[in-house]
Amino acid sequence: MLIKKHYKFDPLWLMIGTSAVILFICSSLRHLLFQSTALDLGMFDQGTYLISQGIPPISSFTNYHILGDHAAWIWYPLALLYKINPSVYWLFAVQGIVLALGALPTYQLARQAKLNKSQALTIAATYLLYPLVFNVNLFDFHPEVIAVPALLGATLAMRNQQLGWFCLSILLVLGCKAVLALTVVGMGIWLILFERRLYGAIAIISGVVWYAIANKIIIPLIGGDAASIDRYLFRYQYLGNSFTELMNNLFFQPGLVLPKLLSWDNLAYLILLFIPIIWGVSWQGIAPLIGALPCVMLNLLADYQPQKDLIHQYSVPALPFIILSVIASLSLSKGLFQNKRIIILWSIVAFLSLAKFTYFGGKYLQSLDTWQATTEAIAQIQPNKSVLTTDEIAPHLTHRKLIKLIATPATQINLNIFDYVLLNLRHPGLSSKPEFNQDLVKLLNNSQDFHLQYQRDDVLLFHKSNL
């Protein structure tokens, strides 16, 4: 007699696995279509590769050590993957997996809040359908995505009174980006006021200490002036030209601050941030949003549009607390509605309206006419040789010590340090201007050191004669 075994897929893990695969495929496809950029993907990929090779990870794009960029030590464990096989697709895989895994602690926190399995799955689906999850996955790679499940995991550990797991989770968050220390401090304030004081105190102390160490010791010592916090002041220039002046005006010049905070741009940003989960917003569930305040306030105060959308990484630290707020509201039967079907329908509509999957049908195909030529040209470049190229091509050539962008007039470029120059005249790249590339071609054609090795569809590869 044959016994038939019936295997049931856990719907939560099916959701997580499917999401991870979709996210990985989408980010990889974007990269293959030459839509990723030198900053940030190329810089991070180069640094991780250099670490894996035992070479000081000084990015040739920025000219400073990778720890000088936000004091993110997470690159060192990530570099272990590159020891298996040096490939940028490790970063895409990690990003897709950690973003999808955020649904796991989301589900567990919902169950902990006395929601039934169906409701908890609904919240997990809401998290996965939140447009920022899909969009930030498309925008190169950013280590703060690792902080999303870590922050949710820290909250779960706190409520389970697992002090060790809580501390490890906080440590992981801090290792992703120095500014996340402010989010950890915000989380600590929430925990002290509404949850467990000991855990809140640990979060506040660790956040303050790491922020000071990162910005006063690690970044200045390793990155130098080029990597200092002052490089971000242009986003808050209306508040002053130095960090001290900025902080002084922030607290003592409300006439400068309030008009910026109460702008239409900020109202639109807050609508974008909360419209996907507006059904779950309530005063009774608002406490966890204290943890999101540092991130959201930095974005509201900034005079920099990428910090006010759901496309870039700047709102990622707020996401765990937005989800926690929704869980709190639903557990109290508060919010606009609690019907699971309506919640899922709302989340799907929000995803279809705000997720940038449409880029694959338009924006990401703009350079398809030169795709084959660019691929063939890249294949002819020898490993470890220095390269001068464009933003979108650079991330495909970053496994070398020296690679730079065509970002200045040809006469200001020191061609002597490069072995190859790869240009796409039809699509000159984000950092370059058409005239930069055209003038560079003229200079290279008149040079005795460089010769044209490959040419097709306005893609030109020059190589140094002595290679």
Side-chain angles (χ1 to χ4, degrees):
M1 181 178 177
L2 296 175
I3 299 175
K4 294 184 177 180
K5 292 183 178 181
H6 298 279
Y7 296 95
K8 288 183 67 177
F9 288 103
D10 185 318
L12 175 63
W13 283 106
L14 183 61
M15 288 163 52
I16 292 172
T18 302
S19 297
V21 170
I22 291 173
L23 292 173
F24 173 70
I25 290 174
C26 288
S27 58
S28 299
L29 181 58
R30 176 182 182 265
H31 180 66
L32 286 169
L33 290 170
F34 293 102
Q35 295 299 316
S36 52
T37 59
L39 303 175
D40 294 322
L41 182 63
M43 176 180 67
F44 292 153
D45 179 48
Q46 184 187 32
T48 311
Y49 169 77
L50 293 175
I51 291 171
S52 73
Q53 301 300 305
I55 302 171
I58 299 173
S59 171
S60 56
F61 297 114
T62 60
N63 296 321
Y64 54 76
H65 196 284
I66 196 169
L67 281 180
D69 186 76
H70 306 298
W73 53 258
I74 195 68
W75 298 115
Y76 284 84
L78 286 174
L80 296 176
L81 297 172
Y82 277 54
K83 284 186 172 295
I84 300 172
N85 179 46
S87 172
V88 70
Y89 293 98
W90 282 118
L91 298 183
F92 297 143
V94 168
Q95 184 160 257
I97 290 169
V98 297
L99 283 171
L101 274 177
L104 179 60
T106 295
Y107 174 86
Q108 294 170 328
L109 285 161
R111 291 289 288 149
Q112 194 179 61
K114 308 302 182 184
L115 299 180
N116 60 42
K117 289 184 178 180
S118 180
Q119 290 174 312
L121 283 172
T122 299
I123 297 295
T126 297
Y127 162 82
L128 292 171
L129 287 169
Y130 191 84
L132 180 62
V133 172
F134 184 83
N135 291 344
V136 75
N137 177 72
L138 289 182
F139 183 49
D140 291 348
F141 175 88
H142 296 90
E144 52 262 54
V145 297
I146 299 172
V148 174
L151 286 166
L152 290 166
T155 304
L156 185 65
M158 176 272 300
R159 289 180 175 168
N160 287 332
Q161 299 188 56
Q162 297 172 318
L163 184 60
W165 284 112
F166 175 82
C167 292
L168 284 174
S169 298
I170 293 300
L171 181 65
L172 181 59
V173 172
L174 295 174
C176 294
K177 198 173 186 179
V179 74
L180 289 175
L182 300 180
T183 295
V184 171
V185 171
M187 180 184 191
I189 294 171
W190 163 53
L191 296 183
I192 281 181
L193 293 177
F194 297 97
E195 299 280 344
R196 299 184 185 279
R197 292 182 178 179
L198 172 62
Y199 291 79
I202 291 172
I204 291 174
I205 293 170
S206 60
V208 170
V209 170
W210 178 247
Y211 189 84
I213 292 173
N215 288 291
K216 297 298 182 181
I217 300 175
I218 296 177
I219 293 176
L221 183 64
I222 295 179
D225 292 339
S228 72
I229 197 172
D230 290 345
R231 63 191 165 123
Y232 298 107
L233 290 182
F234 75 93
R235 302 178 185 180
Y236 308 91
Q237 198 166 20
Y238 68 97
L239 288 173
N241 296 316
S242 68
F243 184 74
T244 302
E245 188 179 359
L246 184 151
M247 295 304 295
N248 181 68
N249 288 334
L250 179 63
F251 289 103
F252 300 108
Q253 296 293 332
L256 290 175
V257 177
L258 290 179
K260 178 60 64 176
L261 281 178
L262 302 177
S263 67
W264 289 109
D265 282 348
N266 280 344
L267 177 61
Y269 168 60
L270 291 174
I271 291 173
L272 284 174
L273 201 60
F274 287 100
I275 198 68
I277 48 85
I278 194 66
W279 52 267
V281 174
S282 71
W283 288 111
Q284 292 84 351
I286 203 171
L289 292 179
I290 294 173
L293 274 178
C295 164
V296 174
M297 287 302 297
L298 283 173
N299 295 338
L300 291 175
L301 288 168
D303 195 12
Y304 183 60
Q305 196 56 42
Q307 288 186 232
K308 302 178 191 294
D309 59 36
L310 296 187
I311 299 175
H312 300 84
Q313 75 276 17
Y314 301 106
S315 295
V316 165
L319 178 57
F321 303 101
I322 291 173
I323 296 299
L324 287 167
S325 176
V326 167
I327 292 172
S329 292
L330 199 59
S331 68
L332 297 170
S333 299
K334 300 297 181 180
L336 293 178
F337 44 81
Q338 292 82 43
N339 184 279
K340 297 185 291 294
R341 291 184 179 179
I342 297 178
I343 291 172
I344 292 296
L345 179 60
W346 186 281
S347 298
I348 292 173
V349 171
F351 179 86
L352 294 176
S353 302
L354 299 173
K356 301 305 179 183
F357 59 90
T358 54
Y359 283 0
F360 287 101
K363 181 179 179 179
Y364 290 165
L365 302 180
Q366 290 177 354
S367 60
L368 197 60
D369 54 340
T370 59
W371 183 87
Q372 186 171 354
T374 306
T375 303
E376 291 173 354
I378 288 173
Q380 297 188 33
I381 297 177
Q382 296 178 26
N384 300 320
K385 298 297 183 179
S386 56
V387 180
L388 176 68
T389 189
T390 67
D391 265 292
E392 290 77 9
I393 297 175
H396 296 260
L397 290 164
T398 42
H399 291 179
R400 60 197 72 239
K401 292 180 68 174
L402 179 58
I403 178 170
K404 286 189 175 291
L405 304 179
I406 304 168
T408 59
T411 53
Q412 298 178 19
I413 299 173
N414 180 16
L415 291 175
N416 294 326
I417 64 174
F418 298 107
D419 299 310
Y420 290 93
V421 179
L422 177 55
L423 309 95
N424 186 330
L425 299 181
R426 199 176 298 177
H427 305 290
L430 288 174
S431 67
S432 187
K433 296 180 181 179
E435 57 268 27
F436 289 179
N437 287 9
Q438 292 164 2
D439 291 344
L440 184 57
V441 170
K442 294 177 183 178
L443 189 63
L444 290 166
N445 281 329
N446 293 326
S447 171
Q448 295 182 350
D449 296 326
F450 283 87
H451 293 277
L452 183 63
Q453 177 175 329
Y454 177 88
Q455 181 177 10
R456 179 181 175 184
D457 297 334
D458 294 326
V459 174
L460 286 76
L461 175 63
F462 292 86
H463 77 282
K464 191 169 286 185
S465 303
N466 59 2
L467 285 183

